[in-house]
Amino acid sequence: MLSMTTRRTQVGIVGAGPSGLLLSHLLARQGIDSIVVENRGRDYVEERVRAGVLEQGTIDTLAEAGLGERMMAEGLFHDGIEIRFDGQAHRIDFPSLTGGKRIMVYGQNEVVKDLIDARLEAGGAIVFDVDDTAIEGIDGESPTIRYGKDGAEHAIACDYIAGCDGFHGICRPSIPEAALTGYDRVYPFAWLGVLADSTPPSREVAYCHSERGFALLSLRSPTVSRLYIQVAPDEDIANWPDQRFWDELQRRTAVEDAAPIETGPILHKGITPMRSFVVEPMRHGRLFLAGDAAHIVPPTGAKGMNLAVADIRFLTEALAAFYRTGDTAGLDGYSARALRRVWKAQRFSWWMTTMLHLSPNDSPFDRRRQRAELDYVTGSEAAMRTLAENYVGLPFETGLAP
Ligand code: APR
Ligand code: PHB
């Protein structure tokens, strides 16, 4: 290493995904200084294909924080979803079941682009393409983020560090193992996801249960489809040439009177493993974990980014209260407050996942029960309301201690 520079900030943030960027943005609005370090390049994080459903509370959070301009112009409001099984489509209407709440289809990478633009425009510090990120001193008064960039070594002295570096980041593993408890479930299936230049096959997001496995019809715009099929967890993507994907999708999603799915050039194809994971607590000393660094949900409930946004709201409130008054009660309560909401989203994501997928571990009894569950959830208004309430997003207040 040639040289070493040290900077100071109030909150050092590791990771420029939705969590880290939103935290930096919301803190700046409270007059709190932060620096974000990210080991990937700007193009990479802006183009990464991820989920795309925003809860009502996420839409409101972004809009209230001045991030709504492009989202409101280009995002697609949806009033419901479809659940398909046995050749029939069933609609679940959100506004009528939730007192007017809706969802929006807007790619996570678009949210990331909007956040990066807003931060850079406001003079915010995001350091891309760093290597060897490490954190130290989280048990003391002044924790430090260290990283390398362009052959030089850098350090950031912070009051607090936010670990927003996703599931594979370095922050969670920097906490002594004995101080954390992990709760984990790995599912015996994965999703093969495709982004295609084709007319979306369903007007609304459609969750399809079939004897051949689960499939999901989603979209990114009126001309771009986002499509998924359940595959084995160790599936080789080479086994899925484009035509095989389209044929399988058609079989799993067919309902009476539906036109055949329009195919088109496939822009991106990837396999997503399915797991549920939570670490407790979400704080150690002066390190706070948020988003995927602390928890993973299977994508069936579309909760991943929305949970990250809720964590960041709670963490911002706690940090803002501390810098305003010196009171650490909010910071001390952050983990419990966030986890209470996280576990409800975990429950919902697990429930949607087990209701809709075919599991090789299921007995004939499980399959009959699953079929009854689908019948119930699409036939009972009480059950539909339960699904709708969770899908549009539980209120942030449910995170408050009783
Ligand atoms: N140093 C710096 N940055 C890192 C490091 C590291 N050692 N390790 C990981 N990162 C970066 C990643 O490159 C990524 O940009 O941290 C960021 C973490 O972002 P996400 O994985 O998007 O996690 P988060 O911001 O919490 O967003 C949660 O993203 O993964 C989806 O489904 C998830 O929708 C959810 C949302
Ligand atoms: C998506 O559009 O990528 C999407 C939609 C709903 C989900 C998961 C992903 O549950």
Side-chain angles (χ1 to χ4, degrees):
M1 292 283 172
L2 298 171
S3 61
M4 162 88 182
T5 58
T6 300
R7 285 205 274 176
R8 238 212 80 75
T9 190
Q10 289 172 300
V11 181
I13 300 174
V14 184
S19 300
L21 292 166
L22 181 63
L23 179 62
S24 178
H25 180 85
L26 296 182
L27 288 176
R29 289 169 65 85
Q30 301 284 334
I32 300 165
D33 185 54
S34 68
I35 299 174
V36 183
V37 300
E38 164 61 50
N39 63 357
R40 301 286 193 159
R42 180 175 177 181
D43 287 350
Y44 182 91
V45 300
E46 288 190 348
E47 298 311 325
R48 194 160 37 187
V49 180
R50 289 275 180 88
V53 172
L54 310 187
E55 294 175 354
Q56 181 76 59
T58 298
I59 305 166
D60 297 343
T61 302
L62 298 175
E64 281 160 21
L67 297 159
E69 199 177 308
R70 202 167 64 92
M71 176 180 79
M72 289 302 186
E74 295 176 21
L76 307 168
F77 272 110
H78 281 206
D79 282 352
I81 54 166
E82 264 186 26
I83 294 188
R84 298 185 182 181
F85 63 101
D86 285 355
Q88 302 284 334
H90 306 263
R91 180 162 189 274
I92 301 198
D93 184 80
F94 294 153
S96 64
L97 292 163
T98 64
K101 293 189 182 142
R102 301 194 281 171
I103 55 159
M104 181 186 274
V105 172
Y106 189 60
Q108 177 174 315
N109 64 312
E110 306 300 334
V111 174
V112 165
K113 278 182 210 167
D114 295 343
L115 280 162
I116 292 176
D117 282 348
R119 283 312 293 133
L120 297 182
E121 208 168 288
I126 311 173
V127 191
F128 290 104
D129 297 304
V130 307
D131 45 52
D132 300 329
T133 320
I135 59 174
E136 55 192 49
I138 53 177
D139 285 308
E141 295 285 294
S142 182
T144 303
I145 300 177
R146 295 189 184 282
Y147 63 94
K149 185 166 165 75
D150 303 329
E153 230 181 87
H154 300 264
I156 307 173
C158 318
D159 297 338
Y160 291 100
I161 295 177
C164 301
D165 51 350
F167 186 62
H168 300 287
I170 54 95
C171 289
R172 191 180 66 251
S174 305
I175 299 174
E177 225 171 283
L180 293 181
T181 307
Y183 300 87
D184 208 2
R185 169 148 310 177
V186 176
Y187 298 89
F189 37 78
W191 280 10
L192 171 63
V194 152
L195 189 70
D197 208 347
S198 66
T199 308
S202 172
R203 207 173 51 78
E204 294 184 318
V205 177
Y207 291 83
C208 313
H209 171 80
S210 89
E211 294 303 310
R212 302 180 64 90
F214 172 74
L216 176 62
L217 305 175
S218 186
L219 65 161
R220 284 295 173 273
S221 78
T223 58
V224 176
S225 306
R226 182 74 174 133
L227 311 160
Y228 302 90
I229 56 170
Q230 171 185 352
V231 293
D234 55 355
E235 184 67 68
D236 182 352
I237 205 162
N239 291 336
W240 288 93
D242 296 0
Q243 194 54 49
R244 181 178 177 207
F245 175 81
W246 290 116
D247 290 346
E248 188 62 24
L249 188 73
Q250 176 68 47
R251 287 198 194 99
R252 293 189 190 188
T253 60
V255 281
E256 274 173 22
D257 305 328
I261 290 175
E262 188 186 297
T263 64
I266 288 184
L267 311 170
H268 181 272
K269 203 188 274 174
I271 291 187
T272 313
M274 306 277 280
R275 92 188 286 160
S276 302
F277 171 76
V278 182
V279 78
E280 294 187 1
M282 288 168 58
R283 178 227 183 133
H284 183 80
R286 286 187 172 243
L287 170 66
F288 293 88
L289 301 176
D292 274 21
H295 41 74
I296 296 284
V297 284
T300 326
K303 289 283 160 258
M305 178 172 49
N306 295 296
L307 269 185
V309 168
D311 287 354
I312 295 305
R313 273 183 71 125
F314 297 154
L315 185 54
T316 303
E317 267 180 48
L319 286 164
F322 168 74
Y323 281 110
R324 215 170 37 240
T325 66
D327 185 357
T328 59
L331 291 171
D332 294 337
Y334 163 73
S335 174
R337 187 180 182 197
L339 282 168
R340 198 154 170 240
R341 195 170 185 283
V342 163
W343 274 110
K344 293 196 182 84
Q346 287 287 353
R347 184 206 67 81
F348 177 67
S349 304
W350 162 86
W351 173 71
M352 287 283 280
T353 301
T354 51
M355 176 171 71
L356 288 159
H357 289 75
L358 284 193
S359 169
N361 305 332
D362 280 354
S363 67
F365 177 89
D366 292 322
R367 296 293 304 284
R368 294 294 174 120
R369 182 194 47 71
Q370 185 182 39
R371 176 69 183 62
E373 180 118 40
L374 286 162
D375 202 8
Y376 177 59
V377 86
T378 53
S380 149
E381 188 181 317
M384 285 192 269
R385 193 185 303 281
T386 296
L387 190 155
E389 172 183 56
N390 282 276
Y391 202 97
V392 301
L394 294 175
F396 297 115
E397 286 68 29
T398 53
L400 289 169

